[in-house]
């Protein structure tokens, strides 16, 4: 039986009736020890034309199937060995297509100059924007803004002044973030670029300075999660509702420090316009992910064609002084589509999640946590009065968002004799467009004026209240609802206020009525019984349609898993496939082939950077190395300094090093003469700062599990102590506060010498664990540490590596 694509299907079902579709677009690290195995076939199979075609396609597919994330990273990785296919867990040297910095451009410039650099390596790679503190007219802030602008002009890089818009929006609307490319920025919401198929991920200031000076930095490919959407997004439900629901329904750190790839059928993905995708990708940061990537599909193609046509029209009319028309062109779109990237069949993912969009309703996040998400209809009955409403941020302040909010007031005007009604008494409603082009589009449509007529207070295009800067911040005891992306306590003002997140139309309706409310556009489908979501791809086996090729690959994969499982049972530990026995990593002369030592176990999850290195020392420049070693892990365990010894291997739980960016969290561990940290997983910023400061780190979740099985004897519980962040962290990479620290429930040692030994075989990319003198011994495959990253560590960190590169070039 043939499906609509002409593929041979094992099963075919009649498609369900589809709901009305929305517009196509709106205007303005768990590692695997397995590898692909070559399969022998019978001669008779090759003689059969159907089987031969399928087997031939298998033979010509890549030796190692890759995800879309891995394919994009492959394109922007330098110095890869011949025939190397990058995989999750690998360290790579990246030369990103673009690198954006914002208000922190001047701190990056100071670091850039301090390492001896004077000229940006590739000016076309760099974009600078001013967007965070645009309402601040103090002389100190204006001086910093002048310094950034003068530096950008001197270096000849693209620069966008205060008031032009939020950097992430500029990256998208000006064509810097481009589908199939890799872009980085010194801000945590770089994930947003994934909404247009561009792999966007945040970097810290040292990384940005390295890219300015050399065009390069490093990255470890995170574990990759596949999120499959099914169904059709109902009328009255938006992309904001999708991501708010995801954050609340999957709120157990399922995708923490993962790269996410969103996928679904053509029908499903057509119900998600580009603006909705941008909102979803933007808030994957709050979900805990490092990237949030959508496919390069027909919806994106339509958006790109629109942008290319728009850019050409503006160029011909002479209305646009920017060179947007050079980035958005139809020939460039043609080239993209002719070489469209997509995930390979058989690509491996660390996790699979699914969500049926047709079962969603409008959702509200909070108060004060994205992990709490409640259907709007439940909150609307609770009469939650609000004091402030915000339609701001790079998440939901595009022209389509402004139009949705304005429609609430326009609809109300039709019931009010054609007059726009005023917002509720006692409510302040603040609006700021994501960029000036988006505001102009809203003004032309009459949407901006409709909200002003209702009593909205306009703010300049920029971050503003979203990041807790400027006019309109929440006061103690107040309640606010915002279309922005982050609502943790104190984010938008007082720590004694409550903050909720919702879609633009819900924010507008709440401002109009004075309480959390919706516009009434959503109608619950008949037979609705709850939100359908869970692990896997969400397709019932009886409804599954797969090609014969896919069925064969599935059987082969199952046989591989059975073989490997049996080998583990017989031989113990993880088994190296034959194809990998000769796959050795080159080790630079002088770099240790093995790193080994006794395991010191700190049994806690979410150990934040303040626990590793106390904030009171962070901005003291005269702290000696000896003092750093003495206070290392002091806020976690005062006994750590006396228990840990030189040459030990520090092993901690999950999300080690979460919280603010402070390089001393890595250098303090080095000061303690500990060369390697192992954890179930690392906070992204700590992971970057560790390599940048020559501290090696590796994720081995299985080791944490075994240590807990042996020593803890009880599940962890959350401590309630407050986390104090130093004031100087305002210009660090923007990140949410760390989660509460999880420590053993029983009164056991926070830090323990285990008697276990740990060996990291760098050449073979494997770790070996000896569980005590007479205990079990096992090994596991981990990500490759290639020579280019070894070189950064050997030279003492990224800054020293950059200095050497500059010296070599001169």
């Amino acid at each position: 039986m043939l499906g609509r694509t002409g593929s041979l299907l094992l099963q075919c079902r009649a498609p369900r009736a589809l709901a009305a579709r929305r517009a196509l677009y709106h205007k303005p690290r768990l590692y695997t020890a397995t590898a692909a195995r070559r399969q022998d076939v019978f001669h008779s199979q090759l003689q059969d034309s159907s089987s031969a075609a399928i087997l031939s396609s298998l033979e010509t597919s890549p030796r190692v199937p890759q995800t879309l994330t891995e394919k994009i990273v492959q394109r922007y990785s330098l110095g890869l060995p011949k025939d190397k296919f990058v995989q999750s867990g690998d360290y790579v040297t990246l030369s990103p297509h673009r690198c954006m910095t914002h208000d922190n451009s001047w701190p990056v410039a100071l670091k850039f100059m301090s390492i001896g650099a004077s000229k940006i390596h590739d000016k076309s790679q760099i974009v600078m924007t001013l967007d965070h503190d645009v309402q601040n007219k103090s002389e100190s802030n204006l001086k910093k803004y002048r310094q950034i602008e003068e530096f950008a002009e001197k270096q000849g890089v693209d620069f966008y002044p205060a008031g032009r818009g939020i950097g992430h929006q500029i990256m998208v609307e000006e064509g810097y973030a481009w589908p199939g490319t890799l872009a980085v920025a010194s801000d945590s919401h770089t994930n947003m670029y994934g909404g247009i198929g561009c792999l966007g991920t945040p970097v810290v200031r040292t990384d940005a300075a390295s890219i300015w000076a050399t065009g390069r930095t490093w990255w470890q490919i995170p574990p990759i999660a596949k999120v499959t959407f099914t169904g059709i997004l109902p009328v009255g439900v938006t992309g904001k509702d999708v991501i708010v629901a995801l954050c609340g329904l999957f709120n157990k750190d399922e995708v923490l420090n993962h790269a996410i790839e969103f996928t679904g059928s053509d029908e499903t993905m057509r119900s998600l316009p580009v603006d909705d995708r941008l909102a979803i990708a933007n808030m994957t940061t709050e979900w805990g992910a490092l990237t949030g990537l959508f496919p390069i599909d027909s919806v994106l193609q339509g958006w790109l064609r629109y942008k290319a046509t728009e850019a050409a029209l503006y160029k011909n009319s002479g209305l646009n002084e920017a060179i947007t028309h050079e980035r958005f062109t139809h020939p460039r779109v043609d080239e993209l589509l002719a070489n469209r990237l997509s995930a390979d069949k058989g690509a491996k993912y660390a996790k699979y999640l699914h969500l049926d969009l047709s079962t969603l309703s409008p959702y509200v996040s909070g108060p004060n946590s994205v992990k709490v998400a409640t259907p709007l209809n439940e909150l609307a009955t609770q009469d939650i009065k609000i004091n402030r409403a915000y339609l701001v941020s790079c998440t939901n302040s595009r022209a389509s968002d402004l139009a949705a909010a304005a429609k609430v007031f326009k609809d109300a005007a039709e019931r009010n004799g054609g007059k726009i009604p005023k917002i509720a008494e006692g409510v302040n409603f603040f609006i700021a467009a994501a960029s000036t082009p988006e505001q102009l589009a809203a003004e032309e449509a009459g949407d901006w004026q409709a909200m002003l007529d209702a009593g909205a207070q306009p703010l300049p295009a920029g971050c503003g209240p979203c990041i807790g800067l400027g006019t309109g911040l929440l006061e103690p005891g107040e309640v606010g609802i915002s279309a922005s992306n982050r609502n943790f306590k104190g984010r938008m003002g007082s720590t004694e206020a409550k903050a909720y997140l919702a879609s633009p139309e819900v924010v507008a309706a709440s401002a109009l009525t004075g309480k959390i409310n919706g516009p009434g556009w959503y109608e619950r489908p008949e037979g609705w019984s709850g939100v359908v979501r869970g692990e896997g791809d969400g397709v019932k086996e009886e409804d599954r349609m797969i090609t014969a090729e896919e069925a064969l690959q599935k059987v082969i994969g199952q046989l591989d898993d059975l073989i490997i499982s049996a080998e583990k049972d017989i031989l113990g530990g993880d088994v190296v496939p034959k194809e990998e026995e000769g796959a050795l990593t080159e080790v630079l002369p002088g770099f240790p082939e093995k790193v080994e030592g006794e395991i010191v176990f700190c049994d806690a999850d979410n150990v934040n950077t303040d626990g590793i290195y106390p904030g009171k020392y962070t901005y003291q420049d005269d702290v000696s190395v000896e003092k750093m070693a003495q206070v290392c892990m002091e806020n976690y365990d005062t006994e750590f300094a006396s228990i840990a010894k030189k040459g030990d291997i520090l092993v901690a739980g999950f999300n080690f090093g979460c919280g603010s960016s402070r390089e001393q969290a890595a250098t303090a561990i080095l000061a303690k003469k500990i060369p390697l940290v192992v954890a179930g997983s690392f906070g992204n910023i700590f992971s970057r700062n560790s390599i940048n400061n020559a501290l090696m780190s590796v994720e081995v979740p299985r080791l944490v599990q075994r240590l807990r099985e042996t020593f803890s004897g009880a599940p962890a519980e959350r401590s309630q102590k407050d986390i104090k962040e130093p004031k100087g962290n305002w210009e660090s990479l923007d990140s949410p506060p760390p989660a509460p620290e999880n420590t053993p429930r029983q009164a056991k040692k926070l830090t323990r010498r285990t008697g276990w030994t740990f060996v990291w075989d760098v050449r073979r990319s494997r770790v070996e664990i000896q569980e005590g003198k007479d205990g079990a011994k096992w090994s596991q495959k981990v990500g490759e540490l290639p020579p280019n990253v070894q070189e950064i560590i050997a030279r003492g960190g990224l800054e020293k590596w950059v200095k050497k590169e500059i010296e070599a070039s001169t």
Side-chain angles (χ1 to χ4, degrees), residues 61 169 441 475 496 538 638 644-645 662 746 749:
S61 62
Q169 176 64 24
E475 299 290 341
E496 298 175 22
T638 56
K645 302 184 183 303
R662 62 185 77 169
Q746 295 178 345
K749 295 180 180 179

Side-chain angles (χ1 to χ4, degrees), residues 593-638:
E593 291 196 14
K594 294 184 178 181
V595 182
E596 54 188 298
E598 182 181 346
I599 292 174
V600 172
F601 185 37
C602 293
D603 187 6
D605 295 336
N606 303 319
V607 175
N608 61 79
T609 51
D610 189 69
I612 302 169
Y613 189 76
K616 62 184 178 181
Y617 301 109
T618 301
Y619 292 95
Q620 295 181 21
D621 296 329
D622 57 349
V623 181
S624 66
V625 173
E626 292 75 19
K627 181 66 174 178
M628 292 182 73
Q630 179 183 339
V631 303
C632 178
M633 302 292 287
E634 179 181 84
N635 281 1
Y636 164 73
D637 181 9
T638 56

Side-chain angles (χ1 to χ4, degrees), residues 185-204:
S186 55
D187 185 272
S188 61
H189 287 102
T190 311
N191 299 29
M192 188 178 99
Y193 312 155
I196 57 167
C198 170
L199 185 64
T201 194
V203 294
V204 295

